[in-house]
Structure formats: C-alpha cells, structure tokens
Amino acid sequence: MARINPHINFNGNAEEAFTFYKSVFGGKFAKIIRFKDLASAEFKVAEKEENKIMHIALTIGKTDMLMGNDVPEIFGKTNENENRSKIVITAESKEEADNLFNGLSVGGEIEGPIGDSPWGSYFGCFRDKYGIEWMVDFDPKNNG
C-alpha cells in the first residue's frame, strides 16, 4: 500500500526550516539533495541557487516523512499564505505509481509527467481537478 507524506515549498530557506523541524520532531535527515548535486549540461543551475535545497526529507517516527524544497527563482516566489504544500505518495511499485498518477490526475493539470527522474526515482507531479497538488514517487532503491 502506498504511503502519503507532506511536502512543503520554500523561498530559499528550506534548510533553515528543516533544521528547526528536526529540533522539534527529532529524527534524522533521510536525504538532502542540493541543486548543484544535479547540475549537468542538460540541467543548468544558477550559481546563486547551487546550495539551495532541491529535496530534503526528515524522518518522523517509524514511517512518516516530512519533505520539502526551495523553489528556484525562475519559477517565481511561492505564496506563503496559500497552497505551498503538496501531498507526496510513495508507491511500492512502478505500476502502483502509474495507477495512482493516472487516476488522481484525471481532469487536473500535469505539472511534471511521470517518468524517470534525474535523481533516480520514478516521479511525476500534478494538480488535481480540485486544485490539490500531488507528487507520486517510486524509488526502486527503497522498495526493491
């Protein structure tokens, strides 16, 4: 069965926020990826954004995870008083990821088609027909 975890967008202060959350919840960082970690000829990263957080995950309890990232400036500023969070579904298989992505996105707007990501998982994101933002992820390294 898929797991669901929250994901929060930040305007450049994700690391500060997650350090704070860790001080409150405890736990440990399961993953920290900076934009510079993914930089390549195909994925250019502005120098001022190299050290910003592309993905951070804090384990909370035995199975829960709080995730987040800094939104690159080219995408504009995240409205901190509106919907700046996403629901992340961690699937147990590619098939489950496809089924959830295809089912939940009907009538919505695909932001990133599901497929292999530069960070090694099978990933896609969309806003459903009710305006809720979702990310679907399958990582064979964590589910194999």
Side-chain angles (χ1 to χ4, degrees):
M1 179 55 94
R3 292 185 331 266
I4 295 179
N5 293 291
H7 185 279
I8 309 168
N9 291 315
F10 292 88
N11 289 312
N13 60 343
E15 188 167 14
E16 174 188 333
F18 270 75
T19 299
F20 170 72
Y21 298 147
K22 184 177 184 231
S23 75
V24 174
F25 288 112
K28 64 178 185 166
F29 292 123
K31 192 176 280 190
I32 299 176
I33 301 172
R34 297 183 186 282
F35 283 103
K36 68 181 177 185
D37 298 333
L38 298 175
S40 68
E42 299 82 36
F43 186 74
K44 305 277 188 212
V45 176
E47 187 175 338
K48 65 182 176 182
E49 297 195 313
E50 287 178 334
N51 287 312
K52 289 184 180 178
I53 301 295
M54 189 273 172
H55 177 74
I56 189 165
L58 174 65
T59 57
I60 300 173
K62 293 181 181 180
T63 60
D64 295 328
M65 190 140 336
L66 178 62
M67 294 176 271
N69 68 281
D70 288 315
V71 175
E73 290 178 14
I74 61 168
F75 293 126
K77 198 166 177 76
T78 295
N79 185 333
E80 295 177 353
N81 293 316
E82 290 189 16
N83 187 3
R84 65 182 276 181
S85 60
K86 298 180 184 287
I87 299 172
V88 177
I89 303 172
T90 304
E92 292 183 343
S93 69
K94 256 186 172 179
E95 295 76 23
E96 182 180 45
D98 282 334
N99 289 339
L100 292 167
F101 185 92
N102 294 331
L104 288 167
S105 66
V106 169
E109 181 181 334
I110 307 263
E111 295 172 343
I114 195 153
D116 294 328
S117 73
W119 54 90
S121 69
Y122 188 68
F123 175 85
C125 54
F126 60 92
R127 184 181 296 265
D128 71 17
K129 62 184 173 184
Y130 304 105
I132 304 301
E133 295 181 82
W134 296 83
M135 296 173 150
V136 178
D137 187 66
F138 167 68
D139 188 343
K141 294 183 292 297
N142 294 334
N143 291 293

